Amino acid sequence: MKSIWSHTCRIPGRNHLPGDLDTEIAVIGGGMAGILTAFFLAREGKQAVVLEASTVGSGQTGGSSAKITSQHGLIYQKLIADWGIPAAVLYGRSNQEAIAEYRQIISSRSISCGFEKKPAFLYTTDQPDAIHLETMAARKAGISAWEAVDTELPFAVKRVIGFPDQACFNPLQFLEGLSPSLTIFEHTPVLSVKGPVLTTPHGRVRAHKVVFACHYPFPVIPGYYFLRMYQEQSHILALSGAPSLDGMYLGIDTGGLSLRSSEDYLLLGGCSHRTGQTVHDPYGSLASSARHLFPHAHPVCQWSAQDCMTLDSLPYIGRFSRRTPDWYVASGFGKWGMTLSMVSALLLTDLICGRPSPYKKLYSPFRFSIRPSAPRLAAHMAESSKGLLRGLGSGIMRCPHMGCRLSWNAADSTWDCPCHGSRFDRLGHLITGPAQSACHRHRLIP
């Protein structure tokens, strides 16, 4: 289950919270979004502490494929259809600024993290029209996209769209270089937040402002994020002995693969599905693809990534709810967490410091439009209802978050919640939220 980043980087550990503490800002979550937010706030002279349930970068950041791009699937034609060209322009600009900010930080602080500038490509073997429409939409959004039919991939494609000046890196090495000057408490899960008071097993933190950068915001009320998000899993193999790729690739077809090189390894990803759904041997499927495409390569590690998906494909970045003016949130990054973590950190810093931002309205958690949200809302509610009713009366264990019945994930040996994506190990220990507590072990062992 450990990613290639965990194999190549060990960030020095931090102590847990020593007791009650008062601070200006409390950031919940020590992943990319939380660490970047604390970094920018500290640069503004703000007193910020990071409360991390496990260790820095141990959650979704450590499971990322670590692409830093403004190319997020077929996003621009969807944005134009749902929100108009100005929204697409803002989305593209904010993500391009995020790429530039990573480059500037890494250069100015001399962080050794395998940062490489590479083009990013979407490819298809049977939907050339979709690629062409995305190219036209991306250009309307101000991005210098181009199309081609020839690639370095070991199989034929019908068409690709390329974005220039994108990037990739080792996210844990980046956090290792960025975090030494920050106040971080590891092994300090936040159990509850009531107004300005955060309760942990080691003491209470009183903060003037609270930032939920914990992947999935765990309060049920207010915010109601459980109605507006679900989680998806995808799976990744790190291959040794595969040829190096100059670009980063993502297939838009059903079963399409993600491919990108990282130093001596090729990362091959795919088999995406809603968390909690039963999928037969995803790693075996990826290994079969690897043998076919790269017969001289062999896997050195495998892991799964988990992503929060919003109903309209835009993340929630801004004030948590109208009832909690001093709470902020960064969540719902889809499969583009590295870039959108930077977008979040920059935007939240502007909001907390009282500065205007052109991106505030685009990413506001208060937005709602029935057109982009309705199809996913209906599907999400249907899946959640099935999860709540599944195994009724059979003794199947419920998730402590909202009572959904868990599913056994044989590929990763975990218990997964199909409603909102909480995951537990074989013995019921919490791996990732929104649940905040473990399950009863004796009823979980399959």
Side-chain angles (χ1 to χ4, degrees):
M1 279 289 289
K2 281 193 172 183
S3 70
I4 194 67
W5 320 125
S6 300
H7 280 284
T8 57
C9 178
R10 290 183 179 272
I11 300 175
R14 303 292 188 97
N15 294 327
H16 63 67
L17 182 72
D20 291 352
L21 178 72
D22 287 351
T23 186
E24 186 176 3
I25 303 163
V27 179
I28 305 172
M32 189 62 69
I35 296 297
L36 281 171
T37 300
F39 170 77
F40 287 127
L41 289 170
R43 202 164 68 175
E44 295 284 343
K46 303 292 186 181
Q47 181 193 31
V49 301
V50 178
L51 306 173
E52 165 55 40
S54 182
T55 58
V56 169
S58 61
Q60 310 317 314
T61 296
S64 170
S65 60
K67 300 174 183 177
I68 310 171
T69 76
S70 58
Q71 186 190 76
H72 299 166
L74 302 176
I75 186 66
Y76 291 99
Q77 53 188 295
K78 176 173 173 52
L79 285 174
I80 290 173
D82 292 341
W83 303 100
I85 292 176
V89 170
L90 288 172
Y91 187 87
R93 185 183 301 160
S94 64
N95 281 278
Q96 286 295 122
E97 288 176 0
I99 298 169
E101 190 67 33
Y102 271 118
R103 185 180 295 114
Q104 192 279 326
I105 292 173
I106 290 166
S107 174
S108 65
R109 299 177 69 88
S110 300
I111 299 175
S112 178
C113 59
F115 183 87
E116 293 183 85
K117 186 172 75 172
K118 290 187 175 188
F121 297 94
L122 297 177
Y123 72 85
T124 182
T125 59
D126 62 7
Q127 300 182 69
D129 290 344
I131 291 289
H132 181 67
L133 289 173
E134 185 64 15
T135 303
M136 297 299 101
R139 289 173 180 171
K140 290 177 182 177
I143 294 170
S144 301
W146 77 93
E147 290 185 35
V149 293
D150 295 320
T151 73
E152 59 186 322
L153 294 173
F155 53 87
V157 302
K158 287 287 183 67
R159 187 170 290 176
V160 298
I161 174 178
F163 282 23
D165 299 324
Q166 311 294 286
C168 56
F169 68 157
N170 182 318
L172 296 191
Q173 289 177 347
F174 175 78
L175 290 182
E176 182 181 27
L178 192 68
S179 59
S181 63
L182 303 178
T183 302
I184 303 169
F185 297 108
E186 294 184 331
H187 306 292
T188 303
V190 176
L191 305 177
S192 67
V193 185
K194 294 183 178 179
V197 178
L198 298 80
T199 301
T200 83
H202 311 295
R204 293 185 176 184
V205 175
R206 180 176 291 273
H208 296 295
K209 297 186 184 298
V210 180
V211 177
F212 289 82
C214 46
H215 187 62
Y216 196 119
F218 54 84
V220 174
I221 300 171
Y224 300 94
Y225 288 92
F226 72 95
L227 291 174
R228 302 193 280 158
M229 289 199 304
Y230 61 96
Q231 298 199 60
E232 283 191 0
Q233 275 186 279
S234 55
H235 305 267
I236 305 173
L237 298 182
L239 303 174
S240 176
S244 179
L245 298 177
D246 294 327
M248 304 178 290
Y249 295 85
L250 177 66
I252 67 166
D253 309 321
T254 301
L257 299 171
S258 168
L259 306 96
R260 78 102 156 166
S261 294
S262 175
E263 297 183 339
D264 297 331
Y265 305 102
L266 182 118
L267 307 187
L268 181 70
C271 301
S272 180
H273 60 93
R274 183 176 172 123
T275 300
Q277 287 184 342
T278 301
V279 177
H280 176 70
D281 196 12
Y283 296 116
S285 177
L286 286 175
S288 177
S289 295
R291 287 191 296 271
H292 174 70
L293 298 174
F294 311 106
H296 301 294
H298 63 275
V300 295
C301 62
Q302 63 186 37
W303 70 96
S304 63
Q306 181 151 301
D307 302 293
C308 287
M309 316 297 290
T310 66
L311 302 180
D312 62 6
S313 302
L314 286 171
Y316 299 125
I317 310 168
R319 294 192 184 275
F320 191 94
S321 77
R322 290 186 171 88
R323 291 170 52 187
T324 53
D326 293 322
W327 291 9
Y328 298 82
V329 67
S331 189
F333 298 156
K335 301 182 183 299
W336 315 106
M338 295 300 94
T339 324
L340 289 169
S341 287
M342 179 66 79
V343 173
S344 297
L346 292 169
L347 175 52
L348 291 181
T349 300
D350 283 342
L351 295 178
I352 291 171
C353 292
R355 293 193 294 261
S357 170
Y359 310 120
K360 176 181 176 180
K361 183 177 179 181
L362 177 69
Y363 295 118
S364 171
F366 304 158
R367 71 181 185 271
F368 182 76
S369 175
I370 193 64
R371 176 175 174 175
S373 302
R376 280 189 174 182
L377 176 61
H380 173 47
M381 295 305 293
E383 290 295 329
S384 295
S385 297
K386 284 196 298 184
L388 287 166
L389 295 173
R390 173 180 166 267
L392 194 63
S394 67
I396 295 176
M397 193 60 193
R398 292 174 179 264
C399 176
H401 174 234
M402 291 188 69
C404 192
R405 286 159 177 79
L406 303 177
S407 298
W408 176 245
N409 176 346
D412 292 326
S413 296
T414 59
W415 288 97
D416 300 347
C417 173
C419 294
H420 307 108
S422 299
R423 302 183 71 199
F424 306 84
D425 70 14
R426 186 172 182 269
L427 297 179
H429 301 120
L430 180 66
I431 297 173
T432 186
Q436 293 299 103
S437 61
C439 286
H440 299 298
R441 302 178 190 178
H442 68 280
R443 298 185 63 189
L444 278 173
I445 299 174

